[in-house]
Amino acid sequence: MAVLTAQNISSNLKTKVFGKKVYFFEEVGSTNEVAFELARNGAVHGTIVLAETQTKGRGRMGRRWVSPSGANIYLSLVLRPNIEAKAAPLITFIASIALTDAAKTVGVEAGIKWPNDLLVNGKKLAGVLTELESDGDKVKYAVMGIGVNLNLTREMLDRELGDIAADATSVREALGREVDRVDFTANLINELERRYEEYLVLGFKHVIKEWNERCSMMGKKVEVIAEGKSLIGTAQSVDSMGRLLIRRKDGVVERVIAGDIVLV
Ligand code: BT5
């Protein structure tokens, strides 16, 4: 198995723009934090930041992303998209679609859980965190952050993730074997560029369509917790702005922009 280094990643890329500049660190607070700093200082669209481990890996809403060393992927991608800040879910959706593609390449069928999780057998395999700097309504730059549990065994998951281990899984657990981290990461970056280019040609609508096809929640009864409020209903689809449509028992359809969702 090849060692994860910037050089090894670069030589496996088939991209035109993404990963022309790859930064690799043994340890960072958060790859998103580093990528944000690089973007603030002018890093080009497509710049990639990778780390072996993160001491302050972050999830949404101040949550933590547990980031053990030696087996996983912690990747951030600097983007300079010509979009409005309210269209930001697009970036998370492109990441999730590319993640399902990369997982499929190694033989893992993953489903997407709105808004940013990749699940296998109901357990979390990967998460996406998109963070933005905007200038008025427009996005100045964005950082797409991706964490994948790749080669953690069940024993490692239990040891490293503690309380949350039962809700987490890895590619290795799903497959019963290790996968090459360099190959997986390079393929993920290739897929990210392919999906991003597809978006540039075919638009947000196409991304939404692909995303809806991969979402494992649609048609199911769910509870959404958003801003401390709970909403129960049937997940319908995601609309053209990335909002989740929930049909309540009384037939009213609510549109949710951000939150957490569980099957009920
Ligand atoms: C996410 O947030 O799922 C976004 C995760 C993004 C992580 C990447 S790693 C590279 C980049 N740099 C960063 O600092 N972050 C990004 P959210 O939906 O809020 O989920 C967070 C929740 O997932 C936590 O509260 C835990 O319950 C669970 N969790 C934490 N670490 C996990 C892991 N390694 N595997 C599975 N679940 C985990």
Side-chain angles (χ1 to χ4, degrees):
M1 303 245 170
V3 181
L4 191 62
T5 60
Q7 176 57 40
N8 282 347
I9 294 297
S10 296
S11 55
N12 279 282
L13 292 179
K14 297 187 196 116
T15 51
K16 291 195 282 261
V17 178
F18 287 9
K20 287 298 133 192
K21 185 81 196 156
V22 178
Y23 293 87
F24 173 77
F25 300 92
E26 283 297 331
E27 182 181 302
V28 291
S30 150
T31 54
N32 265 32
E33 193 185 346
V34 173
F36 229 84
E37 186 60 30
L38 288 167
R40 198 174 299 129
N41 290 306
V44 293
H45 176 77
T47 299
I48 298 268
V49 178
L50 292 163
E52 189 62 76
T53 184
Q54 306 183 111
T55 54
K56 288 186 195 133
R58 51 199 199 210
R60 293 175 303 138
M61 299 174 273
R63 292 180 193 136
R64 203 157 77 94
W65 186 255
V66 184
S67 308
S69 182
N72 279 354
I73 296 172
Y74 312 108
L75 177 153
S76 296
L77 168 65
V78 173
L79 294 170
R80 297 185 179 276
N82 182 19
I83 58 172
E84 293 197 357
K86 63 177 189 241
L90 163 77
I91 294 167
T92 299
F93 287 5
I94 290 174
S96 301
I97 294 168
L99 272 166
T100 59
D101 292 341
K104 199 170 183 162
T105 304
V106 296
V108 174
E109 288 291 337
I112 303 173
K113 180 182 151 207
W114 182 86
N116 67 325
D117 289 350
L118 219 72
L119 301 184
V120 173
N121 298 324
K123 296 180 181 198
K124 189 154 168 172
L125 181 90
V128 180
L129 174 69
T130 299
E131 297 180 288
L132 299 179
E133 181 67 35
S134 44
D135 189 0
D137 290 345
K138 296 293 268 187
V139 171
K140 221 158 130 192
Y141 48 83
V143 172
M144 174 201 280
I146 297 178
V148 187
N149 293 331
L150 198 70
N151 280 326
L152 295 177
T153 59
R154 174 44 50 190
E155 200 190 345
M156 290 164 161
L157 284 161
D158 289 343
R159 190 179 61 231
E160 303 284 350
L161 273 65
D163 287 356
I164 56 169
D167 296 322
T169 190
S170 67
V171 168
R172 181 168 178 174
E173 183 174 53
L175 277 181
R177 65 170 171 86
E178 266 189 275
V179 295
D180 189 299
R181 232 170 5 140
V182 168
D183 283 352
F184 191 96
T185 306
N187 186 43
L188 175 60
I189 298 169
N190 291 336
E191 291 296 349
L192 285 167
E193 181 173 287
R194 187 167 74 84
R195 292 296 178 180
Y196 191 81
E197 290 208 326
E198 224 174 66
Y199 148 69
L200 291 178
V201 175
L202 300 170
F204 198 176
K205 266 204 176 126
H206 176 76
V207 177
I208 297 286
K209 182 176 155 280
E210 293 278 330
W211 190 95
N212 273 319
E213 282 168 16
R214 289 167 171 76
C215 179
S216 52
M217 294 280 156
M218 297 316 174
K220 296 187 181 153
K221 197 168 172 211
V222 296
E223 178 176 13
V224 182
I225 318 266
E227 292 165 348
K229 279 186 243 152
S230 153
L231 170 67
I232 292 179
T234 308
Q236 302 279 289
S237 62
V238 159
D239 75 5
S240 60
M241 292 308 298
R243 293 170 300 196
L244 180 67
L245 270 53
I246 301 283
R247 182 181 293 277
R248 296 190 329 211
K249 215 164 75 187
D250 61 10
V252 173
V253 175
E254 302 253 15
R255 287 166 196 265
V256 191
I257 184 74
D260 286 302
I261 180 173
V262 281
L263 285 175
V264 288

